[in-house]
Amino acid sequence: MCGITGVFGYANGNDLTRIVGAMAASLEHRGPDDGGVWSDEKAHIALGHRRLSVIDLSLQGHQPMHSACGRYIIVFNGEVYNHKALRRELKYEFASGHLPRGEEIVGWRGQSDTETLLAAFSCWGIEEALKRVVGMFAIAVWDRSDRRLNLVRDRLGEKPLYYGWCNGSFVFGSELKAICHYPGFSNEIDRDSLKLYLRHNYVPAPYSIYKNISKLEPGCLLSLKLNDTVSSPSLKLHAPKSEGSLQLSRWWSLHEVVEAGLASRITDDTEALVLLESQLRESIRLQLLADVPLGAFLSGGVDSSLIVALMQSVTSTPVSTYTIGFSEANYDEAVYARSVAKHLRTNHTELYLSAADAQKVIPRLSTLYDEPFADSSQIPTFLVAQMAKQHVTVALSGDAGDELFAGYNRHFKAPGIWKIISKVPTGSRRLISKAINVFSPQTFSTLEQGLSYILPKRWQTTFLGDKLFTLADCLGSVNDSDDLYYSLVSEWNDPDEIVIGEKEPSTLLTRRSEWPLLPDFEERMMYLDSMTYLPDDILVKVDRAAMGVGLETRVPFLDYRIVELAWRLPLSMKIHHGQGKQILRDILYKYVPRNLIERPKQGFGIPLGDWLRGPLRDWAETLLDESRLKRQGFFNPGPILLRWREHLAYKQNWEHSLWGVLMFQAWLEDK
């Protein structure tokens, strides 16, 4: 795992080596073990790299790295898990003289996957080589022959890559902080992006918080020549684009995977179980490849427990597992993780989190994430990564199980909610919404406790009040099931009312014509979650939190072969009797007793609502001061302060929408 950056273009006589060296230095946390810069002043290009040594710890893994044929220079962030198999394939190609580009390849210099990747580019070309790679990556590769810079991002967006134009040069980096170090960088805030941020609590790709800077979307390749660096074309587009010699295209498409899966469904339950367990085991086996200590995050839920169980089944020594706990019972999953760890006999470590611990982390968040980001589980994620880093350099996680196998409550509850809503006249919906809002969160908390004594576990729920208030918010504003989903994933349903100026731009969520033809509401939600929430929230949260302490994270569920297999499974194998991830549960129960897993889904949250009313209140009120908001000129204070007063008075729990505003305010203060 590493950090990459670079500049391509006429830099007005500036020393590119020095500039890119400073940009790379800002990413030292991503790569504390080594660093390097390569430049070609005549070609007006420089590439920078920071290295976290995981595979081949020797100097043979140093980057920027040149291909043996001399054509390519690469900076690479990520891992190629199947690189040993690719080396065997390449050895055969070289021995057989199957070199379509007619380039001479010399012997291997080391054991790094970066060298393997370069040889694959030399043999098969960049795009064809990428299709053979199993891994996660963000890549910049300079083609000396074609004098073209290529930027590539992995299929599902595990590794980040920002790019844009500044003062007549093209700049890129793993994080925004590298780009911000380019001389003369304009840090003008994009109010379009701010509106999207306020809706989702993250800035969705291809947007960034800054004008003229974009995120390369997952599965995309951006290719450009020197003339393309002079001006800033509008590339914030949803479709592949060519403009002059500049090309933006998708080399892998989840849309195509979904449509292919619909055409090749697996209908036999036993076949599906065998295939999925085998593929998961293979993914984990590959991801255990490392020359450094390795462990896993364990929450005690289905996804992380399954990853750890399969890890333990393919290793002869106890897996090192790590979890975070809370003193507040509704948020504490450490007790479940402890039980699973004990059953699997892992080497388990846990840390209990307090409000004081959270307060210590909050000042670091704007630096960690570079742009406003407001998934509050960023705090425990950072702390569990920090704890794990004391013992290991690589940690596997259970992320993406929810998106692929219907694990979020909305996947199996929203369709039923819509059936009810659709039968209620519009006027009555508003009355029901008002009736729900009459009650306080404490009322529903008391009801929730009472139901826990009389209902079976599978019918119980957590945070009943939050869910009912969310329902009330949706009742008066949705016309169909897809509207309901959009409302459920929106923290502020009308950002135009909050952010001053401009209009909220379109995203994939509003461009329905671009969605695959999925007949089931549940599968449409899963697809949209995989395209938006997964890469722009979940994977961002984990990458920045972990790389902030120099820890590499790996996500076995995002092996693209598992993704393709998951979309071949019918919905009935994922949602069964009102419960998600059924096929994962069926595999897991071969390793872990059912009673250790079966309980209402909690998620990886913190007691944010209570903390904002208590130990974080003074901090929050300083940032939400009305005169401050007016002076800054980004927000209309009225709706924000109304929610703040309602939250403090326990009228509603607005913790998530308020956290979004607070994280922007904190980021703006440090900007």
Side-chain angles (χ1 to χ4, degrees):
M1 196 60 58
C2 306
I4 66 174
T5 190
V7 174
F8 184 30
Y10 303 99
N12 299 321
N14 289 323
D15 182 350
L16 282 179
T17 302
R18 178 184 57 79
I19 291 171
V20 173
M23 294 168 71
S26 73
L27 301 175
E28 185 174 359
H29 55 285
R30 297 187 70 92
D33 298 327
D34 188 23
V37 175
W38 169 86
S39 65
D40 183 337
E41 297 286 347
K42 291 183 179 179
H44 302 280
I45 187 167
L47 306 177
H49 187 262
R50 290 298 315 184
R51 184 186 183 199
L52 177 66
S53 302
V54 173
I55 296 175
D56 190 351
L57 309 186
S58 75
L59 290 177
Q60 298 302 325
H62 176 80
Q63 296 184 47
M65 185 182 290
H66 297 241
S67 63
C69 66
R71 177 171 181 172
Y72 299 108
I73 299 97
I74 193 173
V75 283
F76 165 54
N77 168 31
E79 302 290 352
V80 177
Y81 301 126
N82 66 330
H83 91 97
K84 290 186 176 180
L86 287 175
R87 284 200 174 201
R88 291 192 293 270
E89 192 174 351
L90 286 163
K91 184 177 181 181
Y92 170 78
E93 294 276 7
F94 301 158
S96 304
H98 297 160
L99 301 176
R101 293 174 175 264
E103 294 162 338
E104 182 181 358
I105 308 295
V106 300
W108 300 111
R109 291 162 288 178
Q111 298 299 318
S112 78
D113 53 349
T114 309
E115 186 183 1
T116 306
L117 193 57
L118 280 169
F121 289 166
S122 299
C123 183
W124 299 310
I126 292 175
E127 192 159 345
E128 179 57 33
L130 291 171
K131 292 176 180 178
R132 300 175 187 236
V133 168
V134 179
M136 57 177 179
F137 45 84
I139 303 168
V141 58
W142 171 245
D143 184 339
R144 274 177 160 164
S145 176
D146 201 27
R147 301 184 74 77
R148 180 178 289 274
L149 176 65
N150 301 277
L151 299 185
V152 185
R153 196 169 177 207
D154 61 49
R155 295 172 178 88
L156 278 306
E158 289 186 67
K159 293 295 103 188
L161 191 54
Y162 293 83
Y163 69 90
W165 283 259
C166 182
N167 291 342
S169 289
F170 179 83
V171 292
F172 68 88
S174 295
E175 297 180 11
L176 278 171
K177 57 176 61 69
I179 294 174
C180 292
H181 274 75
Y182 184 77
F185 169 72
S186 171
N187 60 352
E188 184 179 357
I189 291 173
D190 188 333
R191 290 176 186 258
D192 288 353
S193 298
L194 182 54
K195 292 193 175 194
L196 291 173
Y197 163 75
L198 212 62
R199 178 177 293 280
H200 300 294
N201 274 357
Y202 59 81
V203 180
Y207 300 93
S208 86
I209 195 61
Y210 294 121
K211 288 189 174 182
N212 298 321
I213 303 297
S214 300
K215 300 181 182 83
L216 187 61
E217 294 183 78
C220 283
L221 187 155
L222 175 62
S223 175
L224 68 161
K225 289 193 170 185
L226 185 60
N227 287 341
D228 305 315
T229 68
V230 176
S231 61
S232 174
S234 177
L235 281 180
K236 291 182 178 179
L237 298 177
H238 52 278
K241 170 154 183 163
S242 294
E243 185 173 300
S245 57
L246 184 147
Q247 299 170 359
L248 176 63
S249 61
R250 291 193 185 277
W251 64 271
W252 187 88
S253 166
L254 183 61
H255 188 293
E256 293 175 2
V257 167
V258 169
E259 291 185 334
L262 289 172
S264 58
R265 291 291 202 194
I266 300 172
T267 57
D268 183 271
D269 288 8
T270 302
E271 179 189 4
L273 274 169
V274 171
L275 282 172
L276 182 56
E277 182 175 0
S278 174
Q279 192 59 70
L280 276 169
R281 190 183 295 274
E282 170 64 7
S283 173
I284 289 169
R285 184 187 66 79
L286 286 178
Q287 295 196 23
L288 292 178
L289 177 66
D291 296 325
V292 291
L294 182 147
F297 299 138
L298 178 62
S299 70
V302 173
D303 304 330
S304 65
S305 296
L306 179 55
I307 296 301
V308 171
L310 292 174
M311 285 176 70
Q312 195 62 77
S313 73
V314 298
T315 58
S316 57
T317 57
V319 173
S320 295
T321 54
Y322 304 91
T323 193
I324 287 283
F326 299 92
S327 56
E328 294 87 347
N330 274 350
Y331 295 85
D332 184 34
E333 289 195 297
V335 61
Y336 306 118
R338 191 183 313 130
S339 297
V340 172
K342 183 178 180 180
H343 178 80
L344 294 174
R345 298 181 179 179
T346 71
N347 181 18
H348 191 59
T349 304
E350 60 187 37
L351 173 69
Y352 270 78
L353 178 64
S354 68
D357 296 316
Q359 286 178 290
K360 292 176 184 176
V361 174
I362 287 171
R364 301 186 61 173
L365 295 178
S366 58
T367 301
L368 278 172
Y369 289 90
D370 276 343
E371 62 182 348
F373 182 79
D375 181 334
S376 60
S377 63
Q378 62 201 124
I379 294 173
T381 301
F382 171 78
L383 288 168
V384 74
Q386 187 178 58
M387 174 176 62
K389 177 60 179 177
Q390 298 174 23
H391 310 277
V392 298
T393 306
V394 176
L396 274 62
S397 85
D399 291 312
D402 288 318
E403 289 80 5
L404 294 176
F405 299 97
Y408 293 127
N409 285 329
R410 57 177 170 263
H411 295 157
F412 41 91
K413 293 185 178 180
I417 292 171
W418 172 244
K419 285 181 181 178
I420 296 171
I421 292 176
S422 63
K423 294 176 182 178
V424 179
T426 302
S428 299
R429 292 183 202 172
R430 295 193 179 98
L431 289 175
I432 295 170
S433 175
K434 289 180 180 179
I436 293 173
N437 282 314
V438 166
F439 296 95
S440 69
Q442 296 100 313
T443 302
F444 293 115
S445 178
T446 303
L447 177 61
E448 183 182 313
Q449 289 179 344
L451 291 174
S452 69
Y453 293 110
I454 60 176
L455 290 179
K457 269 191 176 182
R458 54 177 299 209
W459 290 358
Q460 294 175 21
T461 186
T462 55
F463 311 110
L464 176 63
D466 290 356
K467 292 165 185 173
L468 286 173
F469 285 129
T470 298
L471 171 61
D473 198 35
C474 297
L475 277 170
S477 61
V478 299
N479 298 308
D480 59 24
S481 58
D482 294 323
D483 276 350
L484 175 60
Y485 170 79
Y486 193 50
S487 183
L488 289 171
V489 297
S490 299
E491 298 301 339
W492 293 86
N493 275 311
D494 189 7
D496 287 331
E497 179 189 18
I498 313 300
V499 181
I500 298 170
E502 307 302 329
K503 295 290 288 184
E504 183 182 3
S506 71
T507 66
L508 176 65
L509 297 180
T510 58
R511 297 192 298 265
R512 298 187 186 184
S513 63
E514 297 175 22
W515 303 355
L517 296 176
L518 289 163
D520 293 313
F521 178 28
E522 296 92 334
E523 289 193 315
R524 291 199 300 277
M525 287 190 283
M526 291 162 58
Y527 170 76
L528 293 170
D529 283 340
S530 296
M531 290 289 290
T532 59
Y533 182 65
L534 175 65
D536 293 329
D537 184 303
I538 300 298
L539 297 178
V540 168
K541 174 185 68 179
V542 175
D543 174 82
R544 304 304 194 281
M547 293 310 300
V549 295
L551 177 75
E552 175 177 302
T553 51
R554 299 177 177 179
V555 187
F557 281 120
L558 289 184
D559 184 314
Y560 77 92
R561 298 165 299 178
I562 292 175
V563 175
E564 292 173 354
L565 177 57
W567 279 102
R568 293 183 62 201
L569 304 180
L571 193 59
S572 60
M573 292 186 189
K574 299 173 182 177
I575 299 176
H576 187 67
H577 292 311
Q579 181 174 252
K581 298 189 283 198
Q582 186 58 50
I583 192 168
L584 297 186
R585 295 173 191 273
D586 291 339
I587 298 171
L588 177 60
Y589 296 150
K590 295 168 62 175
Y591 301 91
V592 176
R594 182 185 299 262
N595 67 295
L596 296 185
I597 301 297
E598 291 291 349
R599 62 184 182 277
K601 182 177 177 63
Q602 287 183 224
F604 195 33
I606 62 174
L608 182 61
D610 292 336
W611 290 357
L612 287 175
R613 296 184 188 100
L616 298 180
R617 179 170 175 171
D618 290 345
W619 167 78
E621 290 195 321
T622 299
L623 293 175
L624 298 180
D625 177 74
E626 184 173 7
S627 61
R628 180 187 190 126
L629 293 173
K630 288 180 177 179
R631 183 176 65 255
Q632 291 166 339
F634 290 104
F635 293 140
N636 172 16
I640 295 171
L641 296 178
L642 175 61
R643 288 198 176 188
W644 179 238
R645 289 192 295 270
E646 289 181 344
H647 184 80
L648 292 178
Y650 289 89
K651 288 184 177 180
Q652 283 207 39
N653 184 3
W654 293 119
E655 60 182 74
H656 298 301
S657 57
L658 289 170
W659 188 247
V661 176
L662 288 166
M663 284 294 93
F664 175 79
Q665 290 294 97
W667 173 83
L668 190 64
E669 186 175 50
D670 291 341
K671 182 170 169 285

